[in-house]
Amino acid sequence: MTSRERVWAAIHHQQPDRVPLDLGATSQTGINASTLYRLRAALGLPEKPIEISEIFQMLGAVDEDLRQLVGADAVGINGPGDMFGGRNTACNKPFVMSDGTPTLVGDSIELEQLDDGSVVAYPQGDRSVPPSGKMPAGGSFFDNIDRSGEFDEDDLTPEEDFSEAFSVMDDDTARYIEKQAEHYYQNTDYALVGNLGGFGIGDSAMVPGPHEKHPKGIRRFDDWLMAHMLYPEYIQAVFEMQTQVMLKNLEIYKQAVGDKIQIVWISGTDFGTQNGGFFSPDIFRELYKPYYKRVNDWVHENTEWKTFYHSCGSIVSFLDDFVEMGVDILNPVQLSANGMDGHMLKEKYGDKLVFWGGGVDTQKTLPYGTPEEVRQQVLERLEIFSPGGGYVFNTIHNIVAKTPVENLIAMFQAVQEFNGRA
């Protein structure tokens, strides 16, 4: 099988010739630039600054030489925008991380190092407004800066507050995406993941508005969560706005990529903590599910794409709803969270959901275990998830900074070992 055929079989719950592998096709299946730089060196690949594919998490772009070496089967089709609201069609600005890793960030990114060693990022590259993101001294990714002001609970204005948060795709962006999809479809045999995004409703990374110059309304995430109970009409109004924009963008996106992509990345909203959901299933069903279903229904009625959803944590109480609202692919499959047992997930949902991730724990095993412990866990997870298809190997979320390179090599070798048994 080609990589495209292999992933196509897996996402249609058919047994492929080997388990597909993803490294870097999405912003939740990638690798921090610092670790990527060291991995390339350990594998004998040419030394060069790492291009940043996602600035907020400081993810490095996985190049073709590394994809070939590890046997990756998927590639992401990304738009030109970034988390801080810039438009980056090229990465030419040098930026050195705290550990000395040389990187190149997008041309529209504006970063400033402060006296305490921290680095701040400005929304839309505009230094005349307060920064919206901060990387602490010695850190390896950005956090949101709280810029929320006061809001009047007796006079809530969601349409005004979020009027600059969502936008319909312009022609230049559509052409940029169209060109990428055409290139990878015609010149490679990778499966293509269309990273459309824009519909992570209630996403903790996006609610504060890192891409907005002047975010207004309910933006602190604790206030946002309380608003689910106190002001549900506010939440619904925001989600309705976002849904209308997403449906328009889906129409434009389909014109741009057609049937060249096999998977469309829809949402990265986390609904789980380590021990349980952020809120009850009843709240999810009232405030989230109807909007997600409208978008998923459009995808399934108008394309052959499979919908890709990312949600960390213990989300077992939401999985029946995920299936009912049209989720096809679930990532990152956080087995370390309460109730997320791999055997149960495969037995109960293996014919309904494709599991994309879950291959090794990135909280403990991969960063702190031994290479043999990594190997054993990878083989164990592959035994659980691979039978009958419906599985693409990836770590549980992105590979973080300071992960030992020898553990990464052990992970890739374990996947190759398992696939060699077939």
Side-chain angles (χ1 to χ4, degrees):
M1 287 182 165
T2 66
S3 287
R4 194 169 300 153
E5 292 168 341
R6 185 174 299 121
V7 173
W8 181 262
I11 64 177
H12 286 82
H13 299 277
Q14 301 168 11
Q15 188 74 54
D17 60 336
R18 64 172 175 81
V19 177
L21 181 146
D22 170 28
L23 178 64
T26 79
S27 57
Q28 287 84 29
T29 61
I31 179 170
N32 187 271
S34 172
T35 303
L36 176 57
Y37 186 76
R38 291 184 293 108
L39 176 63
R40 289 184 59 87
L43 294 174
L45 296 175
E47 181 177 323
K48 64 185 188 64
I50 301 297
E51 290 190 15
I52 299 301
S53 62
E54 203 280 88
I55 184 70
F56 202 75
Q57 302 173 93
M58 289 298 292
L59 300 182
V62 177
D63 291 330
E64 180 64 16
D65 54 1
L66 181 57
R67 277 197 294 263
Q68 290 288 332
L69 196 58
V70 302
D73 292 292
V75 67
I77 305 301
N78 301 313
D82 62 59
M83 285 281 287
F84 293 118
R87 182 178 178 86
N88 293 307
T89 56
C91 291
N92 294 307
K93 282 188 176 181
F95 172 69
V96 179
M97 297 178 66
S98 62
D99 65 355
T101 299
T103 75
L104 294 172
V105 303
D107 291 353
S108 70
I109 294 292
E110 284 294 328
L111 304 178
E112 179 183 3
Q113 185 164 3
L114 304 183
D115 292 341
D116 64 0
S118 64
V119 177
V120 294
Y122 290 88
Q124 301 175 41
D126 187 348
R127 288 176 176 259
S128 70
V129 299
S132 60
K134 184 175 183 178
M135 183 188 301
S140 57
F141 56 85
F142 287 88
D143 296 308
N144 273 304
I145 295 175
D146 177 27
R147 296 174 294 147
S148 60
E150 298 296 325
F151 61 88
D152 184 354
E153 63 180 355
D154 295 321
D155 185 25
L156 297 173
T157 55
E159 290 85 358
E160 178 184 339
D161 295 345
F162 283 80
S163 61
E164 298 180 3
F166 321 118
S167 60
V168 175
M169 188 182 302
D170 60 35
D171 290 343
D172 288 344
T173 297
R175 282 191 288 267
Y176 180 90
I177 293 168
E178 180 182 28
K179 185 176 180 180
Q180 274 196 81
E182 178 71 14
H183 168 77
Y184 282 106
Y185 186 79
Q186 297 295 344
N187 298 297
T188 78
D189 64 7
Y190 292 120
L192 306 189
V193 181
N195 290 310
L196 174 56
F199 201 58
I201 56 177
D203 189 336
S204 61
M206 300 307 298
V207 167
H211 58 299
E212 297 176 68
K213 294 183 181 182
H214 303 286
K216 296 178 291 184
I218 302 177
R219 297 303 185 112
R220 275 178 42 135
F221 196 60
D222 53 353
D223 289 334
W224 176 262
L225 288 177
M226 287 188 286
H228 287 59
M229 297 293 292
L230 299 174
Y231 326 111
E233 296 85 1
Y234 186 96
I235 303 292
Q236 289 171 319
V238 174
F239 289 173
E240 181 62 33
M241 293 171 61
Q242 200 166 355
T243 301
Q244 293 295 335
V245 170
M246 183 63 170
L247 291 172
K248 292 177 183 177
N249 282 337
L250 279 167
E251 293 180 6
I252 299 169
Y253 201 70
K254 183 187 176 186
Q255 294 175 26
V257 302
D259 59 1
K260 295 181 179 68
I261 68 169
Q262 292 73 56
I263 298 143
V264 61
W265 186 97
I266 297 289
S267 171
T269 303
D270 291 328
F271 292 106
T273 70
Q274 195 73 26
N275 297 312
F278 271 112
F279 36 71
S280 73
D282 287 340
I283 289 179
F284 179 84
R285 290 166 192 148
E286 177 185 359
L287 298 183
Y288 287 81
K289 186 176 179 180
Y291 302 101
Y292 276 136
K293 189 174 189 307
R294 284 164 60 186
V295 165
N296 293 337
D297 284 350
W298 190 98
V299 172
H300 293 137
E301 289 167 6
N302 292 278
T303 76
E304 294 187 1
W305 310 335
K306 296 297 184 181
T307 58
F308 186 113
Y309 276 68
H310 166 89
S311 181
C312 285
S314 175
I315 56 172
V316 65
S317 61
F318 302 120
L319 291 183
D320 288 334
D321 295 293
F322 277 27
V323 172
E324 291 174 7
M325 72 191 192
V327 173
D328 295 312
I329 300 170
L330 181 66
N331 166 269
V333 201
Q334 189 180 336
L335 302 190
S336 60
N338 186 43
M340 296 287 287
D341 176 74
H343 293 282
M344 178 278 292
L345 292 173
K346 183 67 174 181
E347 180 178 351
K348 187 173 181 180
Y349 297 101
D351 61 342
K352 304 176 183 71
L353 294 170
V354 173
F355 298 111
W356 192 300
V360 65
D361 177 30
T362 48
Q363 289 179 310
K364 295 181 180 179
T365 307
L366 193 61
Y368 301 116
T370 66
E372 180 58 24
E373 287 170 336
V374 170
R375 172 181 173 272
Q376 289 296 334
Q377 188 171 93
V378 169
L379 294 175
E380 173 191 307
R381 301 289 174 80
L382 288 167
E383 290 284 357
I384 294 171
F385 286 115
S386 67
Y391 184 61
V392 175
F393 181 88
N394 187 250
T395 55
I396 299 177
H397 217 306
N398 296 313
I399 299 165
V400 297
K402 300 181 181 179
T403 298
V405 170
E406 56 268 26
N407 285 3
L408 292 180
I409 293 173
M411 176 185 74
F412 292 122
Q413 289 177 338
V415 176
Q416 294 170 355
E417 176 186 340
F418 183 88
N419 281 329
R421 298 173 183 176

